[in-house]
Each structure stands twice: as structure tokens, then as C-alpha cells.
Amino acid sequence: MDGSLSQPLQKLRILHVLNHCERGHGNAHVAVDLACEQTKRGHAVGYVSAGGWLEDVLLANNVQLIHLDQTTARLRRAPAMVAQLCKIIDEFKPDIVHAHMMGAAVIGFAATRIKGVPFITHIHNSFDFHSLLMRLGDRIIAVSEAVARQSIARGMPKSKIRVVLNGTTGTARLAEPPPPPMDLQRPCIGTVAGLHPRKGIDTLISAFEQVFQARPDVHLYIAGVGPYGEAYENQAKASAAAANIHFLGFVMDPRPYLASFDVFALPSLADPFALVVLEARWAGCAIVVSDVDGMPEAVDHGKAGRLIPPGNPDALATTMLDVLRSPESLAQAKRAARTGAEHFSVGRVADDTEQVYRELISSIGYAAAQTELKSSAPT
């Protein structure tokens, strides 16, 4: 994209709209990271939501918090929410409105049409059928090429879609320097994920039982919480490898754990572009993930990590054992994961996103100028 579209590059007024700013939600993490990075670059940034755990991070980074509850009785309250967002737009005067969740896409579309403001939607969770609502944006950001292809196949206009790969390095959500690594039993395999079927935790536990049969010295650590936590703990207890499977619960900062894992495994059944894979690469884990959705892009299409078929514990076990077969194979896999990880930075995400903003603003400005010239031309 031509960076000369808007020279000199004026500072923007940017309004992010989504349900909340809670930890443990990738879409909120991306939005918070982006908002904080944008303020560092001198832009005026507002974050419209019902609030949440990460409000202190936003405030510490000079992001303006604006309250709008989009989470209850949405259909009945939609007209009132649109009116509230119109008022927020009047007061904040944004150059761009950027919606990160489906409800925000609906009310953001209505409010920006009323107020004549350029509108961006951001597809974080393409596995959700309601992500079709993201087609309402003037431009649509997809978090991976895979998400872009899926969106086009579902009927979204290709001309609107721009790909901005996720990034986490340099996030304002986590303190620097990171805490020291955890003291775990090694060699070890670990994961950090929500405990629900989409992340393939049952597949991981089944695969680890096979790993344990061949390598009883290996341990498995599972960090995260979710509605299937009890079921997965029961599955682990019934396993022959029960003594070597450890549930860590919710972890505020995954970096001390990632720094201690030898192998990071995430056998998701669907995953647009998991942030934690990027964090695991930066930490220097060997990576094994499912060949599904945007996951190949997160590991440079297999250069930075091993890809296995989703829902296949045999393939997962074989691959993890192969990585662990010798100190040399493990060291090589760790080096491969770390190579190129710096590309997945919050700064690069901000650069790419700003290009989308400026392209849209420029095209709308050009179209408006052409319309004005035509309307004023003599007949």
C-alpha cells in the first residue's frame, strides 16, 4: 500500500468500539494493544465498552475510556445504543470508528452512517457464524489470510478486506521485564488456552498419554480456565499419565510458563490466529499446532513450528515425540520458532492498521471531492 496517500501524515482521532476490555479474550487483547500503541504515536484514542480488567492499562497509556454497555438485551436496546454512540461520536469527533465485535459492528454501522464517519470492522473470530456482520465495515480487517479467504467464501466483498496479521511483542498489557521462568519439571510440554472443545485440549491429553508411554519422564502443563475444565481434569485423572499432567488454572502472565515449556502444543479445531502461539515463539518454545485456519501463518507455514491435522491425537503424539527425541532436535525446533518472531509485534500491527485507516479516509475524501465537483459543474 502506498504510504504517501496522506502526506504529511496528520494525527488521527480513533474510536475503538467493543463489548469489554477483559483479560482472556483475544479480540479485546488485540484492541487494547492497538489502542495503547496508537496513543504512543500521538493519536487521540477512545475505547468504547462496558469496561473490564484492562481499564488500568488503557488509562496508563492515555486512552480515553468511554462507557457504553453493549452486552445486555441488545435487540431491544439497539436504538438507544445507536443514539448513545452517535452522541459519543459528536463529542469525540473521530476520524475513524473501529469495531472489534459483532454487536459493535451493528451499532457502529448505524451510528457512522448517521454521522458520516469512516467505519472499520475487525474479524477476530471467523469461526463464529455471526462474524458475517463484520461485512458492514467500509473496510474489513482480517487477522489472517485464511480468515480473509473464509470471509470472501461467505460472500463478503473482496474489495473491502485487508489482512493485518496479529502481533503481541511489545504489548502494554504485560510488564517489562517479564517475571523469571517458572520452576517446572522437565522435559515438559505445555499449553495456554481456554478450556473448551475448540482448543483441542482433550486431543492434547489423549496424545500425551501416548507420549508418556514412550517417555515417562515428560510432563504436561495446562494453563487456562473454561467450562470444560472439570471434564478435562477427569480425563487426565483417568489417564495412565495422570501423575504427569498438571493443571495450572488461570495465569495472569503466561510468559514465565512459556519460558519454561520445552514444547508448546495447541491442537485447536478452529483458530483464526492464536496470539499465544506468537508469545510461545517469542519465548523460544518448540511449537506444535494444528494445520487449521490461520495457525499455519502463525508458524510461517511450518518453518517455525510443526503442523498436525486437527483432532488427531496419534499425529500429535508422534510429532511431539519427534521434537523431543534428542537435545539437538529440541534445540533446532526452538531456534526455528524464535526465527522471525519479531515480525509479530504490536508496532507492526499498528503500522498495518494505520495504512488501512488512511487508505479508507483518502478514498472517501477523494470520492466526496469528485461528487462535489460533479454537482457544481456547469450543465
Side-chain angles (χ1 to χ4, degrees):
M1 193 178 298
D2 184 358
S4 64
L5 284 171
S6 297
Q7 296 290 348
L9 295 180
Q10 77 279 13
K11 299 305 180 184
L12 298 174
R13 298 186 64 81
I14 303 160
L15 203 59
H16 293 279
V17 187
L18 59 167
N19 292 354
H20 57 75
C21 51
E22 296 287 1
R23 287 190 182 277
H25 298 265
N27 43 14
H29 288 185
V30 172
V32 168
D33 287 348
L34 186 54
C36 293
E37 183 67 22
Q38 288 166 341
T39 62
K40 291 178 186 176
R41 296 171 181 222
H43 302 299
V45 182
Y47 192 102
V48 181
S49 79
W53 206 335
L54 292 166
E55 283 185 316
D56 288 346
V57 175
L58 291 164
L59 287 172
N61 286 271
N62 302 311
V63 177
Q64 182 179 340
L65 299 181
I66 304 169
H67 188 266
L68 176 58
D69 185 359
Q70 305 159 54
T71 61
T72 56
R74 287 182 185 170
L75 189 60
R76 179 170 56 80
R77 293 185 58 246
M81 287 190 286
V82 171
Q84 285 179 274
L85 186 54
C86 284
K87 183 179 179 183
I88 291 167
I89 290 172
D90 284 339
E91 294 173 352
F92 191 83
K93 296 179 172 55
D95 297 300
I96 203 96
V97 173
H98 188 155
H100 295 263
M101 295 180 180
M102 275 70 83
V106 174
I107 66 169
F109 173 75
T112 55
R113 297 316 88 174
I114 293 168
K115 294 299 177 180
V117 179
F119 185 47
I120 301 280
T121 54
H122 203 135
I123 305 177
H124 300 274
N125 296 327
S126 57
F127 54 84
D128 190 329
F129 180 76
H130 292 96
S131 65
L132 286 170
L133 293 170
M134 293 311 204
R135 68 181 300 134
L136 295 171
D138 298 314
R139 290 292 185 276
I140 304 163
I141 292 177
V143 299
S144 64
E145 294 286 353
V147 168
R149 291 192 297 269
Q150 291 167 357
S151 301
I152 293 165
R154 292 171 180 170
M156 293 192 194
K158 183 178 180 180
S159 60
K160 286 187 178 185
I161 296 175
R162 304 290 181 269
V163 175
V164 176
L165 299 180
N166 282 338
T168 59
T169 307
T171 173
R173 291 177 286 108
L174 300 174
E176 291 293 346
M182 301 298 294
D183 184 17
L184 304 181
Q185 300 181 77
R186 300 174 73 174
C188 67
I189 298 162
T191 197
V192 180
L195 302 187
H196 50 76
R198 183 173 65 83
K199 293 295 185 178
I201 303 302
D202 55 342
T203 299
L204 178 57
I205 294 170
S206 295
F208 182 73
E209 186 167 13
Q210 297 182 42
V211 171
F212 175 77
Q213 289 170 358
R215 289 284 305 271
D217 59 326
V218 179
H219 289 257
L220 173 63
Y221 291 89
I222 299 172
V225 295
Y228 284 75
E230 184 178 355
Y232 296 145
E233 290 192 35
N234 288 337
Q235 180 187 358
K237 288 174 184 176
S239 164
N244 285 34
I245 301 176
H246 314 278
F247 286 84
L248 303 172
F250 175 74
V251 297
M252 183 74 72
D253 186 342
R255 293 175 299 174
Y257 297 92
L258 294 171
S260 299
F261 295 162
D262 292 302
V263 179
F264 174 85
L266 188 62
S268 300
L269 303 181
D271 227 320
F273 198 99
L275 296 174
V276 70
V277 176
L278 310 180
E279 294 169 337
R281 284 187 60 181
W282 187 256
C285 303
I287 308 292
V288 181
V289 295
S290 294
D291 187 1
V292 67
D293 300 334
M295 296 289 264
E297 295 168 65
V299 293
D300 297 336
H301 299 280
K303 294 179 183 177
R306 305 286 189 95
L307 293 164
I308 52 98
N312 189 326
D314 295 341
L316 178 57
T318 299
T319 303
M320 292 190 297
L321 282 169
D322 187 54
V323 171
L324 290 168
R325 73 182 184 278
S326 69
E328 292 76 18
S329 63
L330 179 59
Q332 191 280 329
K334 289 185 173 187
R335 285 194 301 271
R338 189 66 180 79
T339 302
E342 63 276 2
H343 176 69
F344 299 101
S345 69
V346 174
R348 193 267 309 152
V349 174
D351 287 341
D352 293 352
T353 302
E354 187 170 332
Q355 285 194 15
V356 179
Y357 290 173
R358 293 193 184 280
E359 178 209 4
L360 175 57
I361 291 168
S362 178
S363 66
I364 289 175
Y366 176 79
Q370 291 298 102
T371 301
E372 184 176 342
L373 283 172
K374 288 177 182 178
S375 65
S376 60
T379 56

